[in-house]
Amino acid sequence: MSIIATKHNRRSFLKVSTAAGGGIVLGFNWALTGCSPKDAAKIPAEWHKLNGFLKIASDGLITIMSPNPEVGQNIKTAIPMIVAEELDVDWNNVIVEQAPLNTDVFTRQVAGGSQSLRHGWTSLRTTGATARQMLVNAAAKKWNVDPASLTTSDGVISGNGNSISYGDIASEASRLEVPEEVALKDPKDFKIIGTSRGNVDIEEIIAGKPLFGLDTYEEGMQYAVALRPPAFGLKLKSFDDSESRKVNGVNDVIQFGNKIAVLANSTWAAIKGQKALKAEWEEDSKLESTAYHNEELIKLLNTKADEPRRKDGNVEAQFTRADKIVEKIYEAPFLPHCPLEPMNFFANVTAEKAELKGPIQTPERTRKQVAEVLGRPESEVFIDLTRMGGGFGRRLYGDFVVESAQISELAKTPVKLVFTREDDMTAGTYRPSSKYRFKAALKDGKMTAYQLVGAGTNIGNATREDNFPASAMEHYLVESHNMSSNITTGAWRAPITNFLAYAEQAFLDEVAEELGIDPVQFRLDLFEQAKSNPTGELKYDVDKSIGVIKLAAEKGNWGKAKDGVSQGFSSYYSHNTYVAEIAEVRMDGNTPKVTKVVCAIDCGIVVNPVSAINQVQGGIVDGIGHAMYGNFSFANGQPQMSNFDGFRLIRHGEHPPTIEVHFVKNTSDPTGLGEPSLPPSGGAVANAMYKATGVRLYKQPFVQGEINIG
Amino acid sequence: MAIFNLNVNGNQHQVDVDPDTPILWVLRDELRLLGTKYGCGIGQCGACTIHIDGNASRSCSMQVSQVADKKITTIEGLSEEINHPVQNAWRTHDVPQCGYCQAGQMMSASALLSINPSPTDAEIETAMRGNICRCATYVRIHEAVKTASQNL
């Protein structure tokens, strides 16, 4: 049990009121709890806030609002589980509601960075515990006994021969002062956290209920499909909409900025209207091609950066006296996100207000963008959140929300803007194309220097300079270059590390081989070095790193593969979570197949195991799929893939049939799981494939054209 | 525009749409049966899978004129009580992440099991290969199909 203050800077972060119809409503404001994670600088400031509220009705039903957008990470189940645990109620009596964007009540309504649980943990527990304490205090007052003499279980308060349900005392509790301190449970007493609880939306999902943005239907609404420039670098010169207007069901065609929207009575009519548009485009800026990006990125890799991202010791001196130098370049293409639900949003912009509804990972930031574009105060813009059919980072960017508002404003009608798959894939905010050059000095059986140069299109910092093997190397240099491009890029599930981890882990495997050291032992030796004698600032937890490596090696029978099975190892510190993976590959004729992945993962306390395992398995398959097949290129600014016939996603049967997930048991506060299992998976597979085939893989995707591996 | 009589989930509907309209958009925009999803429009992702006379079909790639007089079943009509063995298995295994593709997955799985009640692993892979799950819940989808097979 631990005691936690409910006030910060003398302001309570809990606000109590009486619910309509009786009961208690407890609002909480996470922004006041003063959380300051160590790596705050890496995460946008608005992500550090989180709050929500719960309501206990007279009939004993508990409603817990889930403020964070649900994008498939199952946060809508996990957040209420944490509140319900400390509240001490029966999970069967809990109803979960998705909250709309409401910055008066909530903050950090964001899905991104695998950060929701990490930042919400203490606040969510404190809220549940505070509500529980207030209910206990109300019962104690009613019975004129000491609150400490009372106990709670499953929503009932007992003691001194009395008992009363939360529902029956909730209204009285709502009239009490918020206690200044409350006790949190000892994790060993958890009854909900750490147990598997099914997705709160499972019944609606399996029944096919309209939960998603694309399912939005409002009376009087028109369907809108837009035509955007077919290539990055083009702008609209002129257009002829006469054929489009002849399509049955098309009501209007409007230009907005560089784009044209077709408004119709149905999605199909709007799609036909879009196809019937004749537009002329003219060059506005350079029409870039993949060959150009490749050339420029290689040039950057050969350029000395003005400032290193991190420099320890003197790598040059070590390279000069090395017995051998290993130097390799790893290359990654752009990637579209391809959530299966294409971008869409509903907007109804009137003289009074702008009402929007749909799937967005960043409603607060998006509201600001919409307000700016419409030239109206944010107080007139309202965003309601739907379940999202995936995001993977694409829905961090509100361009399509802004478009829906612009179209509605101009056409003076409620609209649901729908992207066709082609629109979604060709008007993307892609993962940057990137390249990395690794260089290691080997001397006397050891790696004596480590150098990494990264470059990418609009990538910002292409590296994660403080990640392993930083601190494990006395001589260490990391540099990064940014290449400006007019192709829009952004975060893609596990930004940067989704490729960098593969490159690094494949490179370390090659270095270990050159040194004649087992790759797992090689990593363990480096971590021991970082622990016993760290160079520079150590920014990861060595014990947790070693813990997952040893657990994966044990569970995956590292080094004891069955005949015909090749193993590959990879480990990574991923979005505050520690992960190690062993991939197994078998040859099927000449084709290597990934048959099994064993994952060890330390994300602290596992809130909801059934969902956590799903996230980890999905991340691994996603990582393998994009490493194997994900290829996206440009010619004269135009995306060369526009649908799933040209852009290959991993399919059923191409996934490893067995994926074991082993969580490190501990009582550390939870970190996230939406991203962490993805980055190491490509490296584990590449290293296993090397063992199986003798071929090192330096470029993603591993599979190009029709060759069918996996 | 033309009038079409459709039999969807055992109910008769009359719609007035262009004959080239994919049945997907008739279901979604005209009949407001929104459980059938749009994912690609070219029969590549399987999100729009429905049953036409019991066979798994991609509704994005079939025009309404091709399916008049045929028996159409959507996820909303898979069972009355959300208790088709496939739905039960999806619940038991807590399959979905985002959930968007899952109606299509369940329609493909139920069509498979209706013609092959005890599919092998390879048969499941072949039958389910046309349904993309972007969250990559394939391990669970596979397990759930096997569980459903045992509970038919």
Side-chain angles (χ1 to χ4, degrees):
Chain A
M1 195 170 83
S2 52
I3 304 295
I4 192 150
T6 63
K7 291 185 178 182
H8 181 71
N9 294 339
R10 286 179 293 132
R11 288 169 69 193
S12 173
F13 79 104
L14 290 151
K15 201 164 73 179
V16 65
S17 55
T18 309
I24 181 172
V25 177
L26 198 63
F28 60 100
N29 190 334
W30 164 252
L32 300 174
T33 57
C35 167
S36 56
K38 269 193 237 166
D39 59 349
K42 285 187 184 167
I43 303 158
E46 74 266 26
W47 292 12
H48 288 178
K49 308 166 185 171
L50 174 75
N51 52 17
F53 80 80
L54 66 91
K55 183 168 69 181
I56 302 168
S58 303
D59 61 6
L61 278 181
I62 321 290
T63 303
I64 302 176
M65 299 298 285
S66 183
N68 287 50
E70 174 61 62
V71 69
Q73 82 282 45
N74 213 1
I75 200 69
K76 194 175 169 185
T77 305
I79 280 182
M81 281 175 72
I82 298 169
V83 177
E85 176 69 68
E86 294 287 353
L87 185 57
D88 219 0
V89 291
D90 182 349
W91 180 245
N92 294 322
N93 291 336
V94 173
I95 297 167
V96 181
E97 283 181 20
Q98 176 68 56
L101 175 64
N102 185 342
T103 42
D104 291 339
V105 183
F106 312 115
T107 44
R108 203 199 177 278
Q109 285 185 270
V110 170
S114 302
Q115 296 300 311
S116 300
L117 281 192
R118 180 165 171 253
H119 290 303
W121 177 244
T122 305
S123 173
L124 293 163
R125 292 180 69 194
T126 306
T127 299
T130 303
R132 177 191 163 278
Q133 191 59 52
M134 290 175 76
L135 293 158
V136 167
N137 290 351
K141 193 175 167 193
K142 185 185 179 83
W143 297 330
N144 200 21
V145 297
D146 180 358
S149 68
L150 302 178
T151 59
T152 58
S153 180
D154 285 349
V156 176
I157 304 162
S158 310
N160 306 82
N162 296 308
S163 84
I164 191 166
S165 76
Y166 284 3
D168 288 334
I169 198 77
S171 286
E172 283 154 86
S174 73
R175 290 188 284 273
L176 299 182
E177 287 288 309
V178 174
E180 295 209 352
E181 285 182 342
V182 293
L184 301 182
K185 283 185 180 177
D186 187 317
K188 72 174 167 47
D189 297 326
F190 286 162
K191 290 192 283 189
I192 297 173
I193 292 169
T195 64
S196 286
R197 306 289 166 158
N199 189 320
V200 293
D201 281 340
I202 190 71
E203 294 304 321
E204 287 84 356
I205 291 170
I206 63 175
K209 296 284 185 213
L211 300 171
F212 300 91
L214 203 72
D215 304 338
T216 301
Y217 176 80
E218 302 282 344
E219 204 58 47
M221 167 188 102
Q222 294 203 50
Y223 299 82
V225 172
L227 185 68
R228 301 171 185 81
F232 291 86
L234 290 182
K235 67 174 182 184
L236 185 61
K237 187 179 176 191
S238 64
F239 70 99
D240 173 1
D241 63 10
S242 53
E243 291 301 315
S244 181
R245 287 180 183 275
K246 284 181 199 161
V247 173
N248 270 333
V250 168
N251 300 319
D252 203 358
V253 178
I254 54 163
Q255 181 184 349
F256 64 112
N258 220 14
K259 306 159 193 169
I260 309 154
V262 176
L263 289 93
N265 293 339
S266 70
T267 316
W268 181 242
I271 291 172
K272 282 173 79 176
Q274 180 214 38
K275 286 183 179 157
L277 282 170
K278 293 189 186 77
E280 278 196 65
W281 311 92
E282 61 189 350
E283 202 170 322
D284 188 38
S285 56
K286 185 176 170 60
L287 302 179
E288 300 174 5
S289 296
T290 294
Y292 163 74
H293 297 130
N294 287 340
E295 205 174 297
E296 292 298 309
L297 291 174
I298 290 289
K299 268 190 221 165
L300 286 172
L301 288 188
N302 293 323
T303 308
K304 184 83 190 151
D306 296 338
E307 285 289 327
R309 298 291 314 178
R310 176 161 170 158
K311 183 173 185 288
D312 296 320
N314 183 345
V315 293
E316 287 307 327
Q318 298 304 316
F319 286 129
T320 307
R321 67 174 77 116
D323 298 334
K324 180 162 188 176
I325 290 171
V326 184
E327 186 171 5
K328 299 292 170 190
I329 290 176
Y330 296 82
E331 303 176 69
F334 290 93
L335 285 180
H337 299 81
C338 298
L340 211 54
E341 180 194 20
M343 297 306 107
N344 67 86
F345 229 80
F346 170 83
N348 185 17
V349 179
T350 63
E352 292 76 38
K353 59 188 173 183
E355 290 176 296
L356 299 106
K357 181 182 179 183
I360 181 75
Q361 289 174 251
T362 52
E364 188 172 352
R365 191 167 75 195
T366 300
R367 181 175 67 183
K368 199 171 161 52
Q369 285 178 297
V370 170
E372 274 171 21
V373 169
L374 297 180
R376 304 171 70 137
E378 280 188 62
S379 58
E380 292 178 10
V381 180
F382 301 87
I383 299 185
D384 203 356
L385 301 174
T386 60
R387 190 176 182 86
M388 284 179 268
F392 312 101
R394 178 62 182 92
R395 290 188 160 101
L396 292 169
Y397 308 98
D399 51 295
F400 53 94
V401 187
V402 170
E403 285 185 358
S404 71
Q406 288 176 301
I407 296 166
S408 175
E409 184 188 41
L410 286 166
K412 297 186 171 47
T413 179
V415 296
K416 181 172 73 180
L417 172 67
V418 175
F419 280 47
T420 64
R421 174 56 57 193
E422 288 80 5
D423 298 338
D424 191 274
M425 207 179 281
T426 60
T429 303
Y430 308 98
R431 177 184 82 171
S433 166
S434 63
K435 299 193 193 301
Y436 294 91
R437 190 176 64 218
F438 292 81
K439 191 173 171 185
L442 314 187
K443 188 166 176 64
D444 300 332
K446 289 197 163 166
M447 178 165 72
T448 52
Y450 182 95
Q451 183 179 327
L452 167 64
V453 186
T457 49
N458 303 328
I459 202 165
N461 178 11
T463 66
R464 289 293 177 263
E465 62 276 5
D466 294 323
N467 272 7
F468 178 82
S471 296
M473 296 297 303
E474 199 181 335
H475 304 284
Y476 178 88
L477 177 65
V478 173
E479 295 179 326
S480 176
H481 296 280
N482 185 63
M483 173 192 172
S484 291
S485 167
N486 59 11
I487 292 165
T488 48
T489 63
W492 192 101
R493 190 180 194 179
I496 307 297
T497 63
N498 58 48
F499 182 77
L500 176 58
Y502 144 73
E504 172 194 302
Q505 291 296 307
F507 180 71
L508 288 175
D509 200 69
E510 199 161 343
V511 171
E513 186 186 33
E514 286 288 346
L515 292 170
I517 306 173
D518 173 81
V520 169
Q521 192 57 50
F522 179 54
R523 288 171 177 82
L524 289 172
D525 292 346
L526 286 168
F527 278 113
E528 286 298 343
Q529 176 68 26
K531 187 175 181 179
S532 61
N533 189 16
T535 302
E537 194 179 350
L538 177 63
K539 290 200 173 177
Y540 51 87
D541 186 317
V542 175
D543 290 333
K544 282 178 181 274
S545 304
I546 292 174
V548 291
I549 291 174
K550 288 189 169 169
L551 183 62
E554 178 207 327
K555 298 289 184 184
N557 293 313
W558 176 253
K560 291 173 242 162
K562 289 180 189 151
D563 281 352
V565 174
S566 301
Q567 295 176 318
F569 184 84
S570 176
S571 68
Y572 210 69
Y573 172 47
S574 233
H575 299 265
N576 310 105
T577 295
Y578 295 81
V579 194
E581 294 172 11
I582 292 171
E584 292 191 357
V585 164
R586 274 178 189 274
M587 294 304 289
D588 181 8
N590 291 325
T591 307
K593 299 243 178 217
V594 185
T595 50
K596 185 177 175 182
V597 174
V598 175
C599 176
I601 189 159
D602 187 343
C603 59
I605 290 168
V606 179
V607 174
N608 188 10
V610 70
S611 170
I613 293 166
N614 206 355
Q615 292 296 316
V616 173
Q617 290 180 330
I620 288 169
V621 179
D622 190 10
I624 294 173
H626 283 88
M628 301 264 285
Y629 313 119
N631 197 8
F632 201 75
S633 58
F634 292 85
N636 296 317
Q638 188 162 10
Q640 296 300 287
M641 293 79 178
S642 62
N643 207 322
F644 298 133
D645 48 353
F647 183 76
R648 182 173 171 187
L649 286 169
I650 193 166
R651 289 178 179 273
H652 200 128
E654 292 168 341
H655 68 284
T658 305
I659 302 178
E660 287 181 17
V661 181
H662 302 278
F663 292 103
V664 174
K665 289 184 179 56
N666 62 41
T667 53
S668 304
D669 290 357
T671 54
L673 280 178
E675 291 162 308
S677 70
L678 188 151
S681 57
V685 166
N687 295 339
M689 288 210 174
Y690 167 68
K691 287 240 196 90
T693 64
V695 178
R696 288 277 178 198
L697 298 162
Y698 300 104
K699 274 188 191 182
Q700 287 189 4
F702 302 154
V703 179
Q704 308 242 7
E706 291 304 305
I707 309 161
N708 192 14
I709 61 172
Chain B
M1 304 283 266
I3 303 280
F4 294 93
N5 289 304
L6 299 174
N7 179 337
V8 182
N9 300 332
N11 302 314
Q12 284 298 128
H13 297 273
Q14 200 171 67
V15 294
D16 184 7
V17 294
D18 274 349
D20 68 353
T21 309
I23 185 65
L24 165 69
W25 296 114
V26 175
L27 293 169
R28 288 185 57 85
D29 292 352
E30 306 297 325
L31 304 181
R32 303 264 151 69
L33 290 168
L34 294 156
T36 305
K37 301 304 187 203
Y38 167 73
C40 71
I42 59 168
Q44 283 282 324
C45 78
C48 67
T49 305
I50 58 173
H51 296 172
I52 295 177
D53 289 340
N55 300 315
S57 308
R58 311 296 180 218
S59 65
C60 74
S61 303
M62 299 192 81
Q63 297 179 356
V64 61
S65 54
Q66 296 172 284
V67 297
D69 309 323
K70 294 189 195 300
K71 191 167 167 278
I72 297 168
T73 307
T74 69
I75 184 68
E76 291 91 343
L78 190 60
S79 68
E80 285 191 12
E81 307 280 329
I82 324 177
N83 60 357
H84 185 284
V86 165
Q87 288 169 312
N88 290 341
W90 251 248
R91 182 191 295 111
T92 301
H93 288 277
D94 205 42
V95 173
Q97 286 188 27
C98 86
Y100 190 79
C101 75
Q102 300 295 352
Q105 303 279 0
M106 288 185 283
M107 295 309 282
S108 285
S110 54
L112 165 69
L113 296 176
S114 71
I115 52 169
N116 181 358
S118 303
T120 62
D121 287 334
E123 286 167 341
I124 294 171
E125 287 178 8
T126 304
M128 301 303 292
R129 199 180 157 84
N131 289 78
I132 291 172
C133 174
R134 179 63 184 84
C135 304
T137 62
Y138 298 121
V139 172
R140 286 206 179 166
I141 290 170
H142 199 92
E143 287 168 356
V145 175
K146 294 181 91 157
T147 298
S149 157
Q150 287 152 13
N151 295 317
L152 287 175

